[in-house]
Amino acid sequence: MVENRPLLTFVAHLTLLLGVAIVALPIWIVLVTSSQRLEDVIQAPIPMWFGDQLLQNYTDVLTAGVQGSFSGAVAPMLRNSLVMALGIAIGKIAISLLSAFAIVYFRFPLRMLCFWTIFLTLMLPVEVRILPTYKVVADLGMLNSYAGLTIPLIASATATFLFRQFFLTVPDELAEAARVDGAGPLKFFWDILLPLSRTNIAALFVILFIYGWNQYLWPLLITTDASMTTIVMSVQRMIEAADDTPEWPRIAAVGVLAMLPPVVIILTMQRWFVKGLIETEK
């Protein structure tokens, strides 16, 4: 029996509203700032409602960038970040699916040793192996390229482990039935395992896309050409205005544009994302 406790319900809702306000207030300030003139932002108090420069500020940063900064137009940066995030997410999922499929459904020497070797790489993040990785990428001539931005980051021990654990829950009768029907390993993988894995793939895609989109250190190291700059890198560069006052409204507009693609991905795939995280019945 569920007891009706109005006071407890009120306190719970008040706490939730307070948490939402704390999280949403900085985002609201950035949105409002991106619609103001510079002279309105640098004086106290900070405006808390939209100004009349919303479209102008966003048009300017997309086409010309921020005045006095070392970065150019934001539109190419958005493209670079999108290519990098999609490349990392799709590459990680594809490699992890195939490696988990091989570990679970093929019997070869040192199979478990290979799996645990992959799993142990969780203790070696990019920051630990940054120098040898950079050396390899430089020797292969992949600096200032999309291949250099994505390929070194597409291996994922976490995704391999998650797909392996899911494949272990798939009944052996499905594999036996596919074998009786004359389906080879790849057909079994494509027609049976992939459809069963779609919710897991969707959940991982959201997580990995955000991971790729938020990359800062690796793009900073391997990109020296301004045309390969990502939008996450550009925000810090735009604040460097020498002796001038930073163009805070346009910088805020860049920050909003940097938040939009991950938000769109989450809202678009929210149903699949939640289902992939909580679904237990396959």
Side-chain angles (χ1 to χ4, degrees):
M1 180 177 179
V2 179
E3 296 184 10
N4 186 14
R5 297 181 178 178
L7 180 61
L8 184 60
T9 302
F10 173 76
V11 172
H13 282 80
L14 184 62
T15 304
L16 289 174
L17 289 174
L18 180 61
V20 170
I22 293 174
V23 173
L25 181 60
I27 300 175
W28 175 259
I29 293 176
V30 172
L31 283 171
V32 171
T33 302
S34 67
S35 67
Q36 304 290 336
R37 294 183 176 87
L38 178 60
E39 53 269 22
D40 297 328
V41 174
I42 60 177
Q43 65 183 4
I46 299 175
M48 295 301 292
W49 191 249
F50 294 97
D52 57 356
Q53 297 294 307
L54 184 67
L55 293 178
Q56 184 64 44
N57 287 339
Y58 282 90
T59 302
D60 289 343
V61 298
L62 284 172
T63 57
V66 176
Q67 296 178 0
S69 71
F70 299 100
S71 302
V74 172
M77 301 175 194
L78 285 171
R79 183 190 64 237
N80 294 337
S81 293
L82 185 62
V83 171
M84 180 179 179
L86 288 175
I88 290 175
I90 295 173
K92 280 179 176 289
I93 290 174
I95 291 178
S96 300
L97 277 168
L98 293 173
S99 59
F101 175 64
I103 290 171
V104 173
Y105 289 99
F106 289 86
R107 300 294 183 264
F108 53 89
L110 305 178
R111 177 171 60 97
M112 292 309 298
L113 177 61
C114 293
F115 168 71
W116 286 112
T117 302
I118 295 172
F119 189 71
L120 287 175
T121 59
L122 286 172
M123 296 186 294
L124 297 174
V126 175
E127 291 77 11
V128 174
R129 48 186 171 86
I130 197 79
L131 290 179
T133 305
Y134 178 85
K135 176 86 166 51
V136 171
V137 170
D139 291 343
L140 294 176
M142 293 194 301
L143 298 178
N144 293 310
S145 67
Y146 291 130
L149 285 172
T150 57
I151 292 177
L153 301 178
I154 63 174
S156 175
T158 304
T160 302
F161 175 75
L162 292 176
F163 283 125
R164 173 186 177 269
Q165 295 305 109
F166 167 67
F167 289 164
L168 289 175
T169 66
V170 176
D172 294 335
E173 289 79 4
L174 286 177
E176 292 294 336
R179 190 177 298 111
V180 170
D181 290 340
L186 290 181
K187 187 170 181 59
F188 169 71
F189 172 77
W190 184 264
D191 291 342
I192 297 178
L193 287 183
L194 276 186
L196 290 174
S197 307
R198 62 184 182 274
T199 53
N200 304 76
I201 293 173
L204 278 172
F205 178 82
V206 174
I207 297 172
L208 297 177
F209 180 89
I210 296 174
Y211 165 81
W213 184 269
N214 290 335
Q215 285 297 312
Y216 175 78
L217 179 60
W218 181 247
L220 182 66
L221 286 176
I222 72 160
T223 57
T224 56
D225 189 347
S227 64
M228 296 302 298
T229 302
T230 63
I231 193 167
V232 175
M233 295 168 52
S234 69
V235 174
Q236 187 274 335
R237 293 182 179 181
M238 290 175 179
I239 298 176
E240 298 176 0
D243 297 330
D244 299 328
T245 303
E247 291 280 342
W248 293 116
R250 296 185 178 182
I251 295 173
V254 176
V256 173
L257 291 173
M259 289 189 292
L260 278 181
V263 170
V264 171
I265 290 293
I266 291 174
L267 293 179
T268 303
M269 305 187 67
Q270 181 182 13
R271 182 172 65 89
W272 291 98
F273 176 70
V274 174
K275 191 175 181 181
L277 292 180
I278 66 175
E279 187 179 49
T280 57
E281 184 177 335
K282 301 294 181 182

